[in-house]
Amino acid sequence: MDSTIAQKTWELENNILAVEAPDPSSDFIFYYDEVAQAMSLKAKPWANDPHFFKRVKISALALLKMVIHARSGGTIEVMGLMIGKTDGDAIIVMDAFALPVEGTETRVNAQADAYEYMVDYSQTNKQAGRLENVVGWYHSHPGYGCWLSGIDVSTQMLNQQFQEPFLAVVIDPTRTVSSGKVDIGAFRTYPEGYKPTDDPISEYQTIPLNKIEDFGVHCKQYYALNISYFKSSLDCHLLDLLWNKYWVNTLSSSPLLGNGDYVAGQLSDLAEKLEQAENHLTHSRIGPLGTSRKKIPGRITSW
Amino acid sequence: MASSSSSGLTFKLHPLVIVNISDHYTRVKSQLNLPPSLTSTSSAATSNNNNNNSNGGENNQQKPPRVYGCVIGVQRGRTVEIFNSFELIYDPSTRSLDRSFLEKKQELYKKVFPHFYVLGWYSTGSNAQESDMHFHKALMDINESPLYVLLNPAINPAQKDLPVTIYESELHVIDGVPQLIFVRSSYTIETVEAERISVDHVAHLKPSGGSAATQLAAQLTGIHSAIKMLNSRIRVVHQYLVGMQKGDIPCESSLLRQVSSLLRRLPAIESEKFQDDLLMEYKDTLLITYLAMFTNCSSTMNELVDKFNTAYDRHSRRGGRTAFI
């Protein structure tokens, strides 16, 4: 057949080309091995090691859906669930779907409202041939970064008790659009009272002043996982062709125009932080100890 | 069977739909073609999943299955925008569409996306077939003029165009009998900003995490390749015009008209108002960069002062100033 010859030429070309292009055998990741999954669910290797899961692999489809849903919420937090499976110490996210709940940061278990929707959706999915189970939830933090708030931490700890294996993913659609790269983070919480043995070095991100207390109190109670993405060979091919069409959008998009008010908000937040820092500095001038430069002439003159 | 559409509707397709269909197809295909290490579990797996292939899946090398599903979106006036899609259960041998499933899925999607409604259906394959008309007619009671989106999953490296075609149905009189036939329509790809970024991200598998320098480099390469593309397209048009001038290529006045209208748009960006706005935005960006640089500098200064104090403070406390600066 023509198509097999074309595929073989493509495969041959792929071996010569850069390592990045996946060859068709990597589509194996799409295969759902029910027996192996059931076995690993019984064995529960994550029950003994709180740091068991180290990596997350997100499919192209899941990422696209999550980012679009997060962006469509505007400044309101939205949430949804992720479907996938586990593979050793990695959680694989194959798909995601949105939940019809209103996101407010003050509700502990917004998921409870959507249980009926979840069950219906999972059932219809299984009928349509998607056999994986729910492996996590995602929600958006529009404009204030990817981290787990206090409510999120308690929700995730509850989830990790009853719905293991479970993963929490946070997306910031505003920062994604303004910086041009996807702002996403995957987290798992430690159980109560567990002290992590080493301090993981995380990338610094600016957090607005009104949220920074919430961030600081809980930042040690969870750890971030490495995220990598995968796509099928057909996806690869289609996305390459798609580039021919949307290169115009790449050139014509301007984060200045799109996110003007976000930038203004960030600047005013920075101004507040500077003010606070200044107040702190003048405070410490009066205090007994300190290493500020202004102290030295004060001490020398007292001699 | 496929002539060009005359309905005058413009179609806009979002990349999410394309990725959705491709994912559905890959899933169904990989559930059938198992890797040789798992042939023992093959019978259990194939009996468990319900897919649309009527072959039963005993042999590994078989014709790839066709998948079916529904596309949803919005129609505003003459513009039809296709946003999303989901799978459907259809048995091609008995030609029966699972209605209750379709309605259930519609309900679920309505809750999350209240503005979208069913616009048509999709399938995979290389050409639109006569048997597809049955499915098309079945959907006609939901939407009186549904669309048919066809994705060709055969990977052809020589292909330059997206293997996606959109068909509409039109009532034509053939041999005195009015029948519905498929007519092809053209479409454009439409993206929201967030969609474009994530598609770009996955398409080029940019490193996630990593230092800010690599991210910046990746983004700049993206813009660089976009500019290269623009450049190459302009070159093509230029060569075509030169050829026309020399007389190698027959003059085509409609094309010439389009090129001249494009060129006439260029002077619009030389106006004063444009320059004012551009300079204002430019100054804003420069100010912000300046501010960021300032903050960086002051933090480095602070660190230097701290290190300085740690190094020299102890001596001055014990007695006498050490000579510094």
Side-chain angles (χ1 to χ4, degrees), chain B residues 29-155:
Chain B
K29 191 167 87 122
S30 59
Q31 283 294 121
L32 295 175
N33 298 350
L34 308 165
S37 57
L38 283 152
T39 39
S40 55
T41 53
S42 62
S43 50
T46 46
S47 61
N48 273 344
N49 66 36
N50 343 338
N51 56 48
N52 306 317
N53 193 351
S54 43
N55 283 0
E58 294 109 11
N59 37 345
N60 264 343
Q61 289 296 81
Q62 55 191 330
K63 232 170 75 98
R66 295 193 74 178
V67 296
Y68 298 89
C70 200
V71 292
I72 59 178
V74 198
Q75 176 166 1
R76 291 190 199 98
R78 307 299 284 168
T79 323
V80 181
E81 207 165 338
I82 308 175
F83 277 97
N84 210 339
S85 63
F86 56 85
E87 306 95 21
L88 284 179
I89 300 180
Y90 176 70
D91 194 357
S93 48
T94 60
R95 297 210 178 128
S96 63
L97 171 65
D98 194 338
R99 285 258 157 211
S100 57
F101 183 82
L102 169 65
E103 266 148 42
K104 197 117 206 268
K105 270 297 229 232
Q106 245 189 308
E107 224 182 274
L108 290 175
Y109 270 87
K110 261 289 189 216
K111 279 201 201 144
V112 194
F113 302 112
H115 307 288
F116 297 166
Y117 43 86
V118 174
L119 287 176
W121 62 293
Y122 70 78
S123 176
T124 53
S126 39
N127 270 318
Q129 291 162 11
E130 288 291 345
S131 50
D132 295 339
M133 196 43 91
H134 291 269
F135 198 107
H136 203 83
K137 287 200 179 121
L139 268 192
M140 271 178 148
D141 52 349
I142 303 184
N143 181 336
E144 67 274 354
S145 132
L147 305 167
Y148 174 31
V149 180
L150 179 69
L151 176 84
N152 188 353
I155 300 174

Side-chain angles (χ1 to χ4, degrees), chain A residues 30-32 60-61 98 117 120-121 124 127 130 176 179 181 227 229 231 235 237 244 249 253 291, chain B residues 22-23 27 31 34 50 101 104 108-109 112 156 160 191 193 196-198 201-203 208 215 219 309:
Chain A
F30 285 88
Y31 171 68
Y32 181 69
L61 180 67
Y117 184 92
D120 276 344
Y121 197 95
T124 51
Q127 272 187 300
R130 190 185 271 293
T176 300
S179 65
K181 62 176 172 78
I227 303 182
Y229 306 98
K231 48 190 170 152
D235 282 343
H237 179 68
N244 288 343
N249 293 42
S253 73
T291 51
Chain B
S22 133
D23 173 77
R27 247 188 302 130
Q31 283 294 121
L34 308 165
N50 343 338
F101 183 82
K104 197 117 206 268
L108 290 175
Y109 270 87
V112 194
N156 186 354
K160 291 290 177 179
T191 58
E193 185 58 23
R196 179 191 70 76
I197 294 178
S198 36
H201 195 100
V202 186
S208 62
Q215 292 280 14
Q219 196 183 1
N309 285 342

Side-chain angles (χ1 to χ4, degrees), chain B residues 11-31:
Chain B
F11 296 104
K12 293 188 180 169
L13 188 62
H14 278 252
L16 176 60
V17 180
I18 303 179
V19 179
N20 242 337
I21 304 178
S22 133
D23 173 77
H24 186 196
Y25 174 76
T26 317
R27 247 188 302 130
V28 173
K29 191 167 87 122
S30 59
Q31 283 294 121

